[in-house]
Amino acid sequence: MVYISAASGITHQPTFKNAGFSASLDTISSDTELVSPNYKDYIDAGLLRRMSKILRMSVACAKECIQQAGEIHPDAIVVGTGLGCLQDTEKFLNTFLSVEGLLPPTSFIQSTHNTIAGQISLSIGNHGYNMTHTQNTLSFEHALIDSIMMLAEGDAHILVGAADEHISFLDSVAEQLDVTLPVAMTSGCSFFVLSKEKTDQTLAKLTAVETYGEIQKLEEHLNNFFESNSIDPARLDLVLFSGLDIDACGQVLHYLTSRGVKEDQIQDYLIYSGIYPTASAFAVHYAVDKIGQDPSLKNVLVCNCMNRRNLGLTLIQSVEA
Amino acid sequence: MGVQITGIGIVSAIGKTVAENLGALKSGRSGIAPVQYLKERPELLVGEVKIGNAELIDKLAINNPNISRTSLLGLTAAREAWGNSPHHSGIRTGIISSTSVGGMDRSEWFYRDFLKQGNPDYEVLLCHDSGNTTERIARELGISGYINTLSTACSSGVNAIMLGARLIQQDKLDRVLVGGTDALTSFTVNGFKSLMIYDDAWCRPFDESRTGLNLGEGAAFLLLENDKSAAISGNKTLCYVKGWANAADAYHQTASSPDGKGATMAIQKAIKLSGVGIDKIDYVNAHGTGTKNNDLSESVALKNVFGDAIPPFSSTKPFTGHTLAAAGAIESVFSVLAIQHNLIYPSLNFTTPIAEAGLIPVTDLITDREVNTVLSNSFGFGGNNSSVVFSSTL
């Protein structure tokens, strides 16, 4: 069994160091902003100056998460990111395409996806397994699967999380491609400590995570997921759902409602997180927080079909379940 | 239960098939040459795959031409590795690719137009994200289910092999196509130039006079199968993935530590997991980029692990250039070929050992001894260090 020992998030909601946040969320508005902590509390000022948004979010969030777990030394650091370090990528593109001669290297160095996990390992002096998954909307789920495997191979604690940053260029891309989004695109990062042993601090159980890319047999995948985890969909107390494509989402919703999940037990999480490729990490944080607040919640499913070709399923259970 | 390698595929500066790559390795022919396809100043030395995108699209019979070179190269190698393997409902199949640039080869052209305030084609950006490069490969091969992409800079390819082997070992998959792909881009050429580690001459790994790397491009894939899958597919075992490890150097964002800590840990852990005696490593395919920093740090790590008994080692980057995320996969295919054909490749362009280390790589092709076990190293930006051990026997 995999236990969630700590959960932390920096998002457009008051998620940071704010247990119980799930009770008082407003829908994301169009002029929404990231709720940033005082980064200097977590990152040296000299380093902070050079860090892009995604790096400061991730390092601060990861450090807070480790503190929450009782200053554990993670055996591995695993990160998922859909689009990586966009701010530095954009900056270096601008630099090398418009500046002649010697170029400053910082934005190039910080443009690679693994900068996030690398900076976290540097900031806490961690020499363990260090991995970066980038499978667009399923990047976080893949990071979770890897982490669960690391625990099965003998590790005790894994720091796992996801991060994506919004840059205004993304809005122009959406506009130019005629993509109409139901809520604003946002930035967000969430980190968790997963542990092999249950302690007094344990927040919830991470029971199962599966990804299905290039979906061919949706119903079969869903059947397999529930059967192999011995859970009847009717026993789900809450489904946190994301979906942008009506057809594909409709099929998943129909599957759930026709098997006993009531409509008022299904909740869209994108209206709270905003849209970014790893928003399902926000949903897991939200689920863990809800479970902490409401003892009647036993089984929560995060159902990620933000991209119609891909499905991510994450089952979180209360410690008692 | 062993993790078998039953298929390999590769496209690099020294050839578009396994056979062409093997031929070039045996004849000592480098693929690094003045730039031909990428729009850069003509004297730039790069390891390009000698084929344009239009020809690749045609050859691969791609219907939707909105596709990155990274995907095209990846698909070329993935198809060769996959071979005629059957699709079978009883074999749980996945794919793990790795890339550092993703679709940047086309995004940077988009961005040029965008900055000029011309009429840029925004559709191009649909192929930008790294995950998309893998999804395109998966779709063309008819693979669905576990589809994943890793991006850990220059260690990505080895990490894909490691993750695939673990998924088989933990019985999550029966068969998984693993590898890496990266196209050459102006983004990375200028990036390494900004770090002042791009050599204007031919790269010289492990040589005292080394001053940097030459970038390359390419892709390689390996088909990993468990016993059940191999029994159904009928594919022959080429060799086994025996050990793997990944460790963070946690020293500096780009530089490797002078004591080679992360590299030492990765090599030691991979050999330990393989269960192969440290004296049984017949050849080390080194990361050996030709930068001052990597080659010294890697030399120190080799000494830390092997003491005075360092196995024959070489870097094949003077053949292919540094292919970033593809490097670990390309060099793993070379390692498999070393075992299959009893070969130890030369480190081209070497003349003088590094003063502080004094290590001498293999400089001429060795063909007169058995090669049963090979260690391949890949060390990346951000302190990502990975090593993998291949062996002819289980």
Side-chain angles (χ1 to χ4, degrees), chain B residues 103-394:
Chain B
M104 181 57 87
D105 58 286
R106 297 182 70 233
S107 303
E108 66 187 21
W109 277 102
F110 162 88
Y111 212 78
R112 274 190 178 94
D113 292 344
F114 173 78
L115 287 180
K116 278 190 223 145
Q117 307 194 328
N119 190 19
D121 178 8
Y122 281 82
E123 295 277 332
V124 162
L125 299 178
L126 295 173
C127 319
H128 175 77
D129 79 275
S130 304
N132 177 275
T133 63
T134 310
E135 285 165 359
R136 285 300 291 268
I137 297 170
R139 223 173 290 159
E140 297 289 341
L141 289 174
I143 296 174
S144 63
Y146 188 96
I147 298 172
N148 192 8
T149 311
L150 301 177
S151 191
T152 57
C154 317
S155 62
S156 309
V158 164
N159 285 335
I161 296 169
M162 173 164 58
L163 180 60
R166 291 169 57 222
L167 282 158
I168 287 182
Q169 209 185 38
Q170 293 205 26
D171 199 27
K172 307 260 184 209
L173 292 175
D174 301 309
R175 167 171 72 175
V176 54
L177 195 58
V178 295
T181 177
D182 257 332
L184 191 69
T185 64
S186 292
F187 188 92
T188 39
V189 167
N190 283 285
F192 284 97
K193 279 186 176 289
S194 77
L195 286 161
M196 299 202 278
I197 52 172
Y198 202 108
D199 202 327
D200 291 328
W202 268 272
C203 67
R204 301 171 297 286
F206 298 105
D207 193 275
E208 176 66 17
S209 74
R210 73 203 182 283
T211 55
L213 50 80
N214 307 135
L215 281 184
E217 63 177 353
F221 277 87
L222 300 92
L223 185 62
L224 309 185
E225 293 186 79
N226 65 9
D227 294 344
K228 176 184 142 192
S229 173
I232 296 173
S233 72
N235 289 333
K236 280 204 316 205
T237 307
L238 308 179
C239 67
Y240 296 88
V241 191
K242 288 279 284 182
W244 50 81
N246 161 305
D249 204 27
Y251 171 72
H252 184 268
Q253 184 52 38
T254 54
S256 306
S257 59
D259 61 358
K261 177 153 188 176
T264 304
M265 285 171 69
I267 298 171
Q268 279 173 338
K269 284 164 86 175
I271 295 178
K272 189 174 170 214
L273 182 68
S274 77
V276 173
I278 202 154
D279 56 336
K280 293 287 187 285
I281 305 288
D282 299 310
Y283 166 53
V284 179
N285 186 295
H287 187 53
T289 56
T291 64
K292 285 272 179 216
N293 180 243
N294 175 79
D295 295 4
L296 178 58
S297 180
E298 188 170 9
S299 297
V300 172
L302 289 173
K303 287 172 138 184
N304 290 343
V305 175
F306 296 102
D308 294 334
I310 297 176
F313 72 97
S314 65
S315 165
T316 46
K317 289 196 172 65
F319 283 94
T320 58
H322 188 353
T323 57
L324 303 179
I330 283 179
E331 288 155 27
S332 291
V333 165
F334 291 170
S335 300
V336 173
L337 290 172
I339 291 171
Q340 276 188 294
H341 301 276
N342 291 312
L343 296 172
I344 294 179
Y345 315 114
S347 230
L348 304 179
N349 311 331
F350 173 88
T351 47
T352 316
I354 300 170
E356 301 101 299
L359 301 188
I360 301 176
V362 173
T363 53
D364 293 296
L365 181 74
I366 299 175
T367 58
D368 63 352
R369 64 182 83 159
E370 268 192 36
V371 179
N372 290 314
T373 306
V374 177
L375 168 78
S376 183
N377 292 334
S378 287
F379 306 138
F381 256 32
N384 274 111
N385 297 291
S386 296
S387 294
V388 61
V389 176
F390 302 100
S391 184
S392 60
T393 51
L394 189 57

Side-chain angles (χ1 to χ4, degrees), chain A residues 94 96 105 108-109 114 119 127-130 132-136 142 146 149-150 153 176 213-214 216 310, chain B residues 111 115 122 131 135 139 144-145 147-151 166 170 187 190-191 194 246 248-249 253-254 381 384:
Chain A
N94 272 303
F96 90 81
F108 173 66
I109 294 168
N114 64 323
Q119 287 282 356
H127 294 281
Y129 178 86
N130 194 280
T132 303
H133 297 258
T134 175
Q135 195 53 51
N136 75 56
H142 277 294
D146 190 359
M149 283 166 56
M150 291 304 291
E153 289 166 22
Q176 292 288 337
E214 300 293 321
Q216 289 173 348
N310 298 331
Chain B
Y111 212 78
L115 287 180
Y122 281 82
E135 285 165 359
R139 223 173 290 159
S144 63
I147 298 172
N148 192 8
T149 311
L150 301 177
S151 191
R166 291 169 57 222
Q170 293 205 26
F187 188 92
N190 283 285
S194 77
N246 161 305
D249 204 27
Q253 184 52 38
T254 54
F381 256 32
N384 274 111

Side-chain angles (χ1 to χ4, degrees), chain A residues 133-210:
Chain A
H133 297 258
T134 175
Q135 195 53 51
N136 75 56
T137 56
L138 297 179
S139 307
F140 175 61
E141 283 82 351
H142 277 294
L144 286 179
I145 292 171
D146 190 359
S147 303
I148 293 169
M149 283 166 56
M150 291 304 291
L151 291 173
E153 289 166 22
D155 283 356
H157 301 287
I158 313 288
L159 178 70
V160 57
D164 269 297
E165 69 183 342
H166 174 257
I167 55 173
S168 58
F169 180 72
L170 288 177
D171 297 322
S172 354
V173 176
E175 195 187 317
Q176 292 288 337
L177 292 176
D178 282 328
V179 179
T180 321
L181 297 170
V183 268
M185 285 191 275
T186 52
S187 304
C189 88
S190 305
F191 275 85
F192 306 87
V193 170
L194 302 185
S195 305
K196 195 157 62 174
E197 305 291 339
K198 189 174 121 182
T199 66
D200 295 346
Q201 288 205 330
T202 302
L203 303 171
K205 295 190 288 198
L206 180 63
T207 310
V209 188
E210 291 285 348

